[in-house]
Coordinates of all heavy atoms in Angstrom, one line a residue:
M1 N 6.9 14.6 -8.2 CA 6.7 13.3 -8.9 C 5.2 13.1 -9.1 O 4.9 12.5 -10.2 CB 7.3 12.2 -8.1 CG 8.9 12.2 -8.1 SD 9.6 10.9 -7.1 CE 9.0 9.4 -7.8
A2 N 4.4 13.4 -8.2 CA 3.0 13.2 -8.3 C 2.4 14.0 -9.5 O 1.6 13.5 -10.3 CB 2.2 13.5 -7.0
E3 N 2.9 15.3 -9.6 CA 2.4 16.1 -10.7 C 2.9 15.6 -12.1 O 2.1 15.6 -13.0 CB 2.9 17.5 -10.5 CG 2.2 18.2 -9.4 CD 2.8 19.6 -9.1 OE1 3.8 20.0 -9.7 OE2 2.3 20.3 -8.2
E4 N 4.1 15.1 -12.1 CA 4.6 14.5 -13.4 C 3.9 13.2 -13.8 O 3.5 13.1 -14.9 CB 6.1 14.1 -13.2 CG 6.8 13.6 -14.4 CD 7.0 14.7 -15.5 OE1 7.0 15.9 -15.2 OE2 7.3 14.3 -16.6
A5 N 3.6 12.4 -12.8 CA 2.8 11.2 -13.1 C 1.4 11.6 -13.6 O 0.9 11.0 -14.6 CB 2.7 10.3 -11.8
D6 N 0.8 12.5 -12.9 CA -0.6 13.0 -13.3 C -0.5 13.6 -14.8 O -1.4 13.3 -15.5 CB -1.1 14.0 -12.3 CG -2.5 14.4 -12.6 OD1 -3.3 13.5 -12.9 OD2 -2.8 15.6 -12.5
A7 N 0.5 14.3 -15.1 CA 0.6 14.9 -16.4 C 0.7 13.8 -17.5 O 0.4 14.0 -18.7 CB 1.9 15.8 -16.5
H8 N 1.1 12.6 -17.1 CA 1.2 11.5 -18.1 C 0.1 10.5 -17.9 O 0.2 9.3 -18.4 CB 2.6 10.8 -17.9 CG 3.7 11.6 -18.3 ND1 3.9 12.1 -19.6 CD2 4.8 12.1 -17.6 CE1 5.0 12.8 -19.7 NE2 5.6 12.8 -18.5
G9 N -1.0 10.9 -17.3 CA -2.1 10.0 -17.1 C -2.0 8.9 -16.1 O -2.7 7.9 -16.2
S10 N -1.0 9.0 -15.2 CA -0.8 8.0 -14.2 C -0.9 8.6 -12.8 O -1.2 9.8 -12.7 CB 0.6 7.4 -14.5 OG 0.8 6.2 -13.7
R11 N -0.5 7.9 -11.8 CA -0.4 8.5 -10.5 C 0.6 7.9 -9.6 O 1.0 6.7 -9.8 CB -1.8 8.5 -9.8 CG -2.3 7.1 -9.5 CD -3.7 7.3 -8.8 NE -4.3 6.0 -8.7 CZ -5.3 5.8 -7.9 NH1 -5.8 6.8 -7.1 NH2 -5.9 4.7 -7.8
L12 N 1.2 8.7 -8.7 CA 2.2 8.2 -7.8 C 1.5 7.3 -6.8 O 0.4 7.6 -6.3 CB 2.8 9.4 -7.1 CG 3.8 9.2 -6.0 CD1 5.1 8.7 -6.6 CD2 4.0 10.4 -5.2
L13 N 2.2 6.2 -6.4 CA 1.7 5.3 -5.4 C 2.8 5.2 -4.3 O 4.0 5.2 -4.5 CB 1.6 3.9 -6.0 CG 0.6 3.8 -7.1 CD1 0.5 2.3 -7.6 CD2 -0.8 4.2 -6.7
L14 N 2.3 5.3 -3.0 CA 3.2 5.2 -1.9 C 2.9 3.9 -1.2 O 1.7 3.5 -1.0 CB 3.0 6.3 -0.9 CG 3.3 7.7 -1.4 CD1 3.1 8.7 -0.2 CD2 4.7 7.8 -1.8
E15 N 3.9 3.2 -0.7 CA 3.8 1.9 0.0 C 4.3 2.1 1.4 O 5.4 2.3 1.7 CB 4.5 0.8 -0.7 CG 4.4 -0.5 0.1 CD 5.2 -1.6 -0.6 OE1 5.9 -1.4 -1.6 OE2 5.1 -2.8 -0.1
P16 N 3.3 2.0 2.4 CA 3.8 2.0 3.8 C 4.6 0.8 4.1 O 4.2 -0.3 3.7 CB 2.5 2.0 4.6 CG 1.4 2.1 3.7 CD 1.9 1.9 2.3
Q17 N 5.8 1.0 4.7 CA 6.7 -0.2 5.0 C 7.0 -0.2 6.4 O 6.9 0.8 7.2 CB 7.9 -0.1 4.1 CG 7.6 -0.2 2.6 CD 8.8 -0.5 1.8 OE1 9.9 -0.6 2.3 NE2 8.6 -0.6 0.5
T18 N 7.6 -1.3 6.9 CA 8.0 -1.5 8.3 C 9.0 -0.5 8.7 O 9.8 0.1 7.9 CB 8.5 -2.9 8.5 OG1 9.7 -3.0 7.8 CG2 7.6 -4.0 8.1
R19 N 9.1 -0.2 10.0 CA 10.1 0.7 10.5 C 11.5 0.2 10.2 O 12.4 1.0 10.2 CB 9.9 0.8 12.0 CG 8.6 1.5 12.4 CD 8.2 1.5 13.8 NE 6.8 1.7 14.0 CZ 6.2 2.8 13.8 NH1 6.9 3.9 13.6 NH2 4.9 2.9 14.0
A20 N 11.7 -1.1 10.0 CA 13.0 -1.6 9.7 C 13.4 -1.2 8.3 O 14.6 -1.2 8.0 CB 13.0 -3.2 9.8
S21 N 12.4 -0.9 7.4 CA 12.7 -0.5 6.1 C 12.8 1.0 5.9 O 13.5 1.5 5.0 CB 11.6 -1.0 5.1 OG 11.6 -2.4 5.2
T22 N 12.0 1.8 6.6 CA 11.9 3.2 6.4 C 11.4 4.0 7.6 O 10.6 3.4 8.4 CB 11.0 3.6 5.2 OG1 11.1 5.0 4.9 CG2 9.5 3.2 5.4
S23 N 11.7 5.2 7.7 CA 11.1 6.0 8.8 C 10.1 7.1 8.2 O 9.7 7.9 9.0 CB 12.2 6.8 9.6 OG 12.9 7.6 8.7
L24 N 9.8 7.0 7.0 CA 9.0 8.0 6.3 C 7.5 7.8 6.6 O 6.8 8.7 7.1 CB 9.2 8.0 4.8 CG 10.6 8.3 4.4 CD1 10.8 8.2 2.9 CD2 10.9 9.8 4.8
W25 N 6.9 6.6 6.3 CA 5.5 6.3 6.6 C 5.4 4.8 6.8 O 5.9 4.0 6.0 CB 4.6 6.8 5.5 CG 5.1 6.6 4.1 CD1 5.0 5.4 3.4 CD2 5.7 7.5 3.2 NE1 5.6 5.5 2.2 CE2 6.0 6.8 2.0 CE3 6.1 8.8 3.3 CZ2 6.7 7.4 1.0 CZ3 6.8 9.4 2.3 CH2 7.0 8.7 1.1
N26 N 4.9 4.4 7.9 CA 4.8 3.0 8.3 C 3.4 2.4 8.3 O 3.3 1.2 8.3 CB 5.4 2.8 9.6 CG 6.8 3.4 9.7 OD1 7.0 4.4 10.4 ND2 7.8 2.9 9.0
T27 N 2.4 3.3 8.2 CA 1.0 2.8 8.2 C 0.3 3.4 7.1 O 0.7 4.5 6.6 CB 0.3 3.1 9.5 OG1 0.1 4.6 9.6 CG2 1.0 2.6 10.8
P28 N -0.9 2.8 6.7 CA -1.6 3.4 5.6 C -2.1 4.9 6.0 O -2.1 5.8 5.1 CB -2.9 2.5 5.5 CG -2.4 1.2 5.9 CD -1.4 1.5 7.0
D29 N -2.4 5.1 7.2 CA -2.9 6.5 7.6 C -1.7 7.5 7.5 O -1.9 8.6 7.0 CB -3.4 6.5 9.0 CG -4.7 5.7 9.1 OD1 -5.5 5.7 8.1 OD2 -5.0 5.2 10.2
E30 N -0.5 7.1 7.8 CA 0.6 8.0 7.7 C 0.9 8.3 6.2 O 1.2 9.4 5.8 CB 1.9 7.4 8.3 CG 1.8 7.3 9.8 CD 3.0 6.6 10.4 OE1 3.8 5.9 9.7 OE2 3.1 6.6 11.7
A31 N 0.8 7.3 5.3 CA 1.0 7.5 3.9 C -0.1 8.3 3.3 O 0.2 9.2 2.5 CB 1.1 6.1 3.2
L32 N -1.3 8.2 3.8 CA -2.4 9.0 3.3 C -2.3 10.4 3.7 O -2.6 11.3 2.9 CB -3.8 8.5 3.9 CG -4.4 7.3 3.1 CD1 -5.7 6.8 3.8 CD2 -4.7 7.6 1.7
A33 N -1.7 10.7 4.8 CA -1.4 12.1 5.2 C -0.5 12.8 4.2 O -0.7 13.9 3.8 CB -0.9 12.2 6.6
V34 N 0.5 12.0 3.8 CA 1.4 12.5 2.7 C 0.7 12.7 1.4 O 0.8 13.8 0.8 CB 2.6 11.6 2.5 CG1 3.5 12.0 1.4 CG2 3.5 11.5 3.8
L35 N -0.1 11.7 1.0 CA -0.8 11.8 -0.2 C -1.8 13.0 -0.2 O -1.9 13.7 -1.2 CB -1.6 10.5 -0.5 CG -0.8 9.3 -0.7 CD1 -1.7 8.1 -0.9 CD2 0.1 9.4 -1.9
D36 N -2.5 13.2 0.9 CA -3.4 14.3 1.0 C -2.7 15.7 0.8 O -3.3 16.6 0.3 CB -4.2 14.3 2.3 CG -5.2 13.1 2.4 OD1 -5.5 12.6 1.3 OD2 -5.6 12.8 3.5
S37 N -1.5 15.8 1.2 CA -0.7 17.0 1.1 C -0.3 17.4 -0.3 O 0.1 18.5 -0.6 CB 0.5 17.0 2.1 OG 1.5 16.2 1.6
L38 N -0.3 16.4 -1.2 CA 0.2 16.5 -2.5 C -0.7 17.4 -3.5 O -0.3 18.1 -4.3 CB 0.5 15.2 -3.2 CG 1.5 14.3 -2.5 CD1 1.6 13.0 -3.2 CD2 2.9 15.0 -2.5
G39 N -2.0 17.2 -3.3 CA -3.0 18.0 -4.1 C -3.1 17.4 -5.5 O -3.7 18.1 -6.4
T40 N -2.6 16.3 -5.8 CA -2.8 15.6 -7.1 C -3.2 14.2 -6.9 O -3.0 13.6 -5.8 CB -1.5 15.6 -7.9 OG1 -0.4 14.9 -7.2 CG2 -1.0 17.1 -8.2
P41 N -3.7 13.5 -7.9 CA -4.1 12.1 -7.7 C -2.9 11.3 -7.4 O -1.9 11.3 -8.0 CB -4.7 11.8 -9.1 CG -5.1 13.0 -9.7 CD -4.1 14.1 -9.2
A42 N -3.1 10.5 -6.3 CA -2.1 9.6 -5.9 C -2.8 8.4 -5.1 O -4.0 8.5 -4.8 CB -1.1 10.3 -5.0
G43 N -2.1 7.3 -4.9 CA -2.7 6.2 -4.2 C -1.7 5.4 -3.4 O -0.6 5.8 -3.2
L44 N -2.2 4.3 -2.9 CA -1.5 3.4 -2.0 C -1.1 2.1 -2.6 O -1.9 1.6 -3.4 CB -2.3 3.1 -0.7 CG -2.5 4.2 0.3 CD1 -3.4 3.7 1.4 CD2 -1.2 4.8 0.9
V45 N 0.0 1.5 -2.2 CA 0.3 0.1 -2.4 C 0.2 -0.5 -1.0 O 0.9 0.0 -0.1 CB 1.7 -0.1 -3.0 CG1 2.1 -1.5 -3.0 CG2 1.9 0.6 -4.3
L46 N -0.6 -1.5 -0.8 CA -0.6 -2.1 0.5 C -0.1 -3.5 0.4 O -0.4 -4.3 -0.5 CB -2.1 -2.2 1.0 CG -2.7 -0.9 1.3 CD1 -4.2 -1.1 1.8 CD2 -1.9 -0.1 2.3
D47 N 0.9 -3.8 1.3 CA 1.6 -5.1 1.3 C 1.3 -5.8 2.6 O 1.6 -5.2 3.7 CB 3.1 -4.9 1.1 CG 3.9 -6.2 1.1 OD1 3.5 -7.2 1.7 OD2 5.0 -6.1 0.5
T48 N 0.6 -6.9 2.6 CA 0.2 -7.6 3.9 C 1.4 -7.9 4.8 O 1.3 -7.8 6.0 CB -0.6 -8.8 3.7 OG1 0.2 -9.7 2.8 CG2 -1.9 -8.5 3.0
H49 N 2.6 -8.1 4.2 CA 3.8 -8.3 5.0 C 4.1 -7.1 5.9 O 4.3 -7.2 7.1 CB 5.0 -8.6 4.1 CG 6.3 -8.5 4.8 ND1 6.8 -9.5 5.6 CD2 7.2 -7.5 4.8 CE1 8.0 -9.1 6.1 NE2 8.3 -7.9 5.6
H50 N 4.1 -5.9 5.3 CA 4.4 -4.7 6.0 C 3.3 -4.3 7.0 O 3.6 -3.8 8.1 CB 4.7 -3.5 5.1 CG 5.9 -3.7 4.3 ND1 7.2 -3.7 4.8 CD2 6.1 -3.9 2.9 CE1 8.1 -3.9 3.9 NE2 7.5 -4.0 2.7
L51 N 2.1 -4.5 6.6 CA 0.9 -4.2 7.5 C 1.0 -5.1 8.7 O 0.9 -4.5 9.9 CB -0.4 -4.5 6.8 CG -0.7 -3.6 5.6 CD1 -2.0 -4.1 4.9 CD2 -0.9 -2.1 6.0
E52 N 1.2 -6.4 8.6 CA 1.3 -7.2 9.8 C 2.5 -6.9 10.6 O 2.4 -6.9 11.9 CB 1.3 -8.7 9.3 CG 0.0 -9.2 8.8 CD 0.1 -10.6 8.2 OE1 1.2 -11.1 8.0 OE2 -1.0 -11.2 8.1
A53 N 3.6 -6.6 10.0 CA 4.8 -6.2 10.8 C 4.6 -5.0 11.6 O 5.2 -4.8 12.7 CB 6.0 -6.1 9.8
E54 N 3.7 -4.1 11.2 CA 3.5 -2.9 11.9 C 2.3 -3.0 12.8 O 1.8 -2.0 13.5 CB 3.2 -1.7 10.9 CG 4.5 -1.2 10.3 CD 5.5 -0.6 11.4 OE1 5.1 0.2 12.2 OE2 6.6 -1.0 11.3
G55 N 1.7 -4.2 12.9 CA 0.6 -4.4 13.8 C -0.7 -3.9 13.3 O -1.7 -3.7 14.0
V56 N -0.8 -3.7 12.0 CA -2.0 -3.3 11.3 C -2.7 -4.5 10.8 O -2.1 -5.3 10.1 CB -1.7 -2.3 10.2 CG1 -3.0 -1.9 9.4 CG2 -1.0 -1.1 10.7
E57 N -4.0 -4.7 11.1 CA -4.8 -5.8 10.6 C -5.0 -5.7 9.1 O -5.7 -4.7 8.7 CB -6.1 -5.9 11.4 CG -6.7 -7.2 11.5 CD -7.2 -7.8 10.2 OE1 -8.0 -7.1 9.5 OE2 -6.9 -8.9 9.9
P58 N -4.5 -6.5 8.3 CA -4.5 -6.4 6.8 C -5.9 -6.3 6.3 O -6.2 -5.4 5.4 CB -3.8 -7.6 6.3 CG -2.9 -8.1 7.4 CD -3.7 -7.7 8.7
I59 N -6.9 -7.1 6.7 CA -8.2 -7.0 6.1 C -8.9 -5.7 6.4 O -9.5 -5.1 5.6 CB -9.1 -8.2 6.6 CG1 -8.5 -9.6 6.2 CG2 -10.5 -8.1 6.1 CD1 -8.3 -9.8 4.7
R60 N -8.7 -5.2 7.6 CA -9.3 -3.9 8.0 C -8.7 -2.8 7.2 O -9.4 -2.0 6.7 CB -9.1 -3.7 9.5 CG -9.7 -2.3 10.0 CD -9.3 -1.9 11.4 NE -7.9 -1.8 11.6 CZ -7.1 -0.8 11.1 NH1 -7.7 0.2 10.5 NH2 -5.8 -0.8 11.4
A61 N -7.3 -2.8 7.1 CA -6.6 -1.8 6.3 C -7.0 -1.8 4.8 O -7.3 -0.7 4.3 CB -5.1 -1.9 6.5
I62 N -7.1 -3.0 4.3 CA -7.5 -3.1 2.8 C -8.9 -2.6 2.7 O -9.2 -1.8 1.7 CB -7.3 -4.5 2.4 CG1 -5.8 -4.9 2.4 CG2 -8.0 -4.7 1.0 CD1 -5.6 -6.4 2.3
T63 N -9.8 -3.0 3.5 CA -11.2 -2.5 3.4 C -11.3 -1.0 3.6 O -12.0 -0.3 2.8 CB -12.1 -3.2 4.5 OG1 -11.9 -4.7 4.3 CG2 -13.5 -2.8 4.4
E64 N -10.7 -0.5 4.6 CA -10.8 1.0 4.9 C -10.1 1.8 3.8 O -10.5 3.0 3.6 CB -10.1 1.3 6.3 CG -10.9 0.8 7.4 CD -10.3 1.1 8.8 OE1 -9.2 1.8 8.8 OE2 -10.8 0.7 9.8
H65 N -9.1 1.3 3.1 CA -8.4 2.1 2.2 C -8.6 1.7 0.7 O -7.8 2.0 -0.2 CB -6.9 2.1 2.5 CG -6.7 2.7 3.9 ND1 -6.5 1.9 5.0 CD2 -6.5 3.9 4.3 CE1 -6.4 2.6 6.1 NE2 -6.3 3.9 5.7
A66 N -9.7 0.9 0.5 CA -9.9 0.3 -0.9 C -10.0 1.4 -1.9 O -9.5 1.2 -3.0 CB -11.2 -0.5 -0.9
S67 N -10.6 2.5 -1.6 CA -10.8 3.6 -2.6 C -9.6 4.3 -3.1 O -9.5 4.9 -4.1 CB -11.8 4.6 -2.1 OG -11.2 5.3 -1.0
V68 N -8.5 4.1 -2.3 CA -7.2 4.8 -2.7 C -6.1 3.8 -2.9 O -4.9 4.2 -3.2 CB -6.8 5.9 -1.7 CG1 -7.7 7.0 -1.6 CG2 -6.6 5.2 -0.3
T69 N -6.4 2.5 -2.8 CA -5.4 1.5 -3.0 C -5.4 1.0 -4.5 O -6.4 0.6 -5.0 CB -5.7 0.2 -2.1 OG1 -5.6 0.7 -0.8 CG2 -4.6 -0.8 -2.3
S70 N -4.2 1.1 -5.1 CA -4.1 0.7 -6.5 C -3.3 -0.6 -6.7 O -3.3 -1.1 -7.8 CB -3.3 1.8 -7.3 OG -4.1 3.0 -7.3
C71 N -2.6 -1.0 -5.7 CA -1.9 -2.3 -5.8 C -1.9 -3.0 -4.4 O -1.7 -2.3 -3.4 CB -0.4 -2.0 -6.2 SG 0.6 -3.4 -6.4
L72 N -2.2 -4.2 -4.4 CA -2.2 -5.1 -3.2 C -1.2 -6.2 -3.4 O -1.3 -7.0 -4.3 CB -3.6 -5.6 -3.0 CG -3.9 -6.5 -1.9 CD1 -3.5 -5.9 -0.5 CD2 -5.3 -7.1 -1.9
Q73 N -0.3 -6.3 -2.4 CA 0.6 -7.4 -2.4 C 0.3 -8.3 -1.2 O 0.2 -7.9 -0.1 CB 2.1 -6.9 -2.3 CG 2.5 -6.0 -3.4 CD 3.8 -5.3 -3.2 OE1 4.3 -5.2 -2.1 NE2 4.4 -4.9 -4.3
L74 N 0.2 -9.6 -1.5 CA -0.2 -10.6 -0.5 C 1.0 -11.4 -0.2 O 1.6 -12.1 -1.0 CB -1.3 -11.5 -1.0 CG -2.6 -10.8 -1.4 CD1 -3.6 -11.8 -2.0 CD2 -3.2 -10.1 -0.3
A75 N 1.5 -11.3 1.1 CA 2.7 -12.0 1.5 C 2.6 -12.3 3.0 O 2.2 -11.4 3.8 CB 4.0 -11.3 1.2
A76 N 3.1 -13.4 3.5 CA 3.1 -13.7 4.9 C 4.2 -12.9 5.6 O 5.3 -12.8 5.1 CB 3.3 -15.2 5.1
H77 N 3.9 -12.4 6.8 CA 4.8 -11.6 7.5 C 6.1 -12.4 7.9 O 7.2 -11.9 7.7 CB 4.1 -11.1 8.8 CG 5.1 -10.5 9.8 ND1 5.8 -9.4 9.5 CD2 5.5 -10.9 11.0 CE1 6.5 -9.1 10.5 NE2 6.4 -10.0 11.5
S78 N 5.9 -13.6 8.3 CA 7.1 -14.4 8.8 C 8.0 -14.9 7.6 O 9.2 -15.1 7.9 CB 6.7 -15.5 9.6 OG 5.9 -16.4 8.8
T79 N 7.5 -15.1 6.4 CA 8.3 -15.7 5.4 C 8.5 -14.8 4.1 O 9.3 -15.1 3.3 CB 7.7 -17.0 5.0 OG1 6.4 -16.7 4.4 CG2 7.5 -18.0 6.1
R80 N 7.7 -13.8 4.0 CA 7.6 -13.0 2.8 C 7.1 -13.8 1.6 O 7.1 -13.3 0.5 CB 9.0 -12.4 2.4 CG 9.4 -11.3 3.4 CD 8.6 -10.0 3.3 NE 8.8 -9.3 2.0 CZ 7.9 -8.6 1.4 NH1 6.8 -8.4 2.0 NH2 8.2 -8.0 0.3
G81 N 6.7 -15.0 1.9 CA 6.1 -15.9 0.8 C 4.6 -15.6 0.8 O 4.1 -14.7 1.4
P82 N 3.9 -16.5 0.1 CA 2.4 -16.4 0.1 C 1.7 -16.4 1.4 O 2.1 -17.1 2.3 CB 2.0 -17.7 -0.7 CG 3.2 -18.1 -1.4 CD 4.4 -17.7 -0.6
S83 N 0.8 -15.5 1.6 CA 0.0 -15.4 2.8 C -0.8 -16.7 3.0 O -1.4 -17.2 2.0 CB -0.9 -14.2 2.7 OG -1.8 -14.2 3.9
R84 N -0.9 -17.2 4.2 CA -1.6 -18.4 4.5 C -3.1 -18.2 4.2 O -3.8 -19.1 3.9 CB -1.4 -18.9 5.9 CG 0.0 -19.3 6.2 CD 0.2 -19.7 7.6 NE 1.6 -19.8 8.0 CZ 2.3 -20.8 8.0 NH1 1.8 -22.0 7.6 NH2 3.6 -20.8 8.3
S85 N -3.6 -16.9 4.3 CA -5.0 -16.7 4.1 C -5.3 -16.2 2.7 O -6.4 -16.0 2.3 CB -5.4 -15.6 5.1 OG -4.7 -14.4 4.8
A86 N -4.2 -16.1 1.9 CA -4.5 -15.7 0.5 C -5.2 -16.8 -0.3 O -4.8 -17.9 -0.2 CB -3.1 -15.3 -0.2
T87 N -6.1 -16.4 -1.1 CA -6.9 -17.4 -1.9 C -6.7 -17.1 -3.4 O -7.3 -17.8 -4.2 CB -8.4 -17.3 -1.6 OG1 -8.8 -16.0 -1.8 CG2 -8.7 -17.7 -0.1
T88 N -5.8 -16.2 -3.8 CA -5.5 -16.0 -5.2 C -4.5 -17.0 -5.7 O -3.9 -17.7 -4.9 CB -4.9 -14.6 -5.4 OG1 -3.6 -14.5 -4.7 CG2 -5.8 -13.5 -4.9
G89 N -4.4 -17.1 -7.0 CA -3.5 -18.1 -7.5 C -2.1 -17.6 -7.5 O -1.1 -18.4 -7.6
S90 N -1.8 -16.4 -7.2 CA -0.5 -15.8 -7.2 C -0.2 -15.3 -5.8 O -1.0 -14.6 -5.2 CB -0.4 -14.6 -8.2 OG 0.8 -14.0 -8.0
P91 N 1.0 -15.6 -5.2 CA 1.3 -15.1 -3.9 C 1.4 -13.5 -3.8 O 1.3 -13.0 -2.8 CB 2.7 -15.7 -3.6 CG 3.2 -16.1 -4.9 CD 2.1 -16.4 -5.8
R92 N 1.8 -12.9 -5.0 CA 1.8 -11.4 -5.0 C 0.9 -11.0 -6.1 O 1.1 -11.3 -7.2 CB 3.2 -11.0 -5.2 CG 4.0 -11.4 -3.9 CD 5.4 -11.2 -4.0 NE 6.2 -10.2 -3.7 CZ 6.1 -9.3 -2.7 NH1 5.1 -9.2 -1.9 NH2 7.1 -8.4 -2.5
C93 N -0.1 -10.2 -5.7 CA -1.1 -9.9 -6.7 C -1.2 -8.4 -6.7 O -1.6 -7.8 -5.7 CB -2.4 -10.5 -6.3 SG -3.8 -10.0 -7.3
C94 N -1.0 -7.8 -7.8 CA -1.2 -6.3 -7.9 C -2.5 -6.1 -8.8 O -2.6 -6.7 -9.9 CB 0.0 -5.6 -8.6 SG 1.3 -5.4 -7.5
A95 N -3.3 -5.3 -8.3 CA -4.6 -5.0 -9.0 C -4.7 -3.5 -9.2 O -4.7 -2.8 -8.2 CB -5.8 -5.5 -8.3
R96 N -4.7 -3.1 -10.4 CA -4.8 -1.6 -10.7 C -6.2 -1.2 -10.5 O -7.2 -1.8 -10.8 CB -4.5 -1.4 -12.2 CG -4.4 0.1 -12.5 CD -3.9 0.2 -14.0 NE -4.1 1.6 -14.4 CZ -3.3 2.6 -14.2 NH1 -2.2 2.4 -13.5 NH2 -3.5 3.8 -14.7
A97 N -6.4 0.0 -9.9 CA -7.7 0.6 -9.6 C -8.4 0.8 -10.9 O -7.8 1.0 -12.0 CB -7.5 1.9 -8.8
A98 N -9.7 0.8 -10.8 CA -10.5 1.0 -12.0 C -10.4 2.3 -12.7 O -10.5 2.5 -13.9 CB -12.0 0.7 -11.7
S99 N -10.1 3.3 -11.9 CA -9.9 4.7 -12.4 C -8.9 5.4 -11.5 O -8.6 5.0 -10.4 CB -11.2 5.4 -12.4 OG -11.6 5.7 -11.0
P100 N -8.3 6.5 -12.1 CA -7.3 7.3 -11.3 C -7.9 7.8 -9.9 O -7.1 7.9 -9.0 CB -7.0 8.4 -12.2 CG -7.2 7.9 -13.6 CD -8.4 7.0 -13.4
G101 N -9.2 7.9 -9.8 CA -9.7 8.4 -8.6 C -9.9 7.3 -7.6 O -10.3 7.5 -6.4
G102 N -9.7 6.1 -7.9 CA -9.8 5.0 -7.0 C -10.6 3.9 -7.6 O -10.9 2.9 -7.3

């Protein structure tokens, strides 16, 4: 899939999710290990709901993985609604990376 996306000028994005949702990759670091093995441009979707549910500090994760994050979803862990710390006008905000490399 990553190669197909790259052939069309796009890239595959992986979203780490809670253990209740998947056993594939639950943290940004686990998802990055998969991405690194692909050998083609790919990136992350980070969702504050899943990060908090896995005990990952969202601000740290977003900062550390900014160069490979193509979409950011802001949601409170307990309600799946807008994060109390979110300052954007939209509770769920996706921002495309400036370039395929990050």
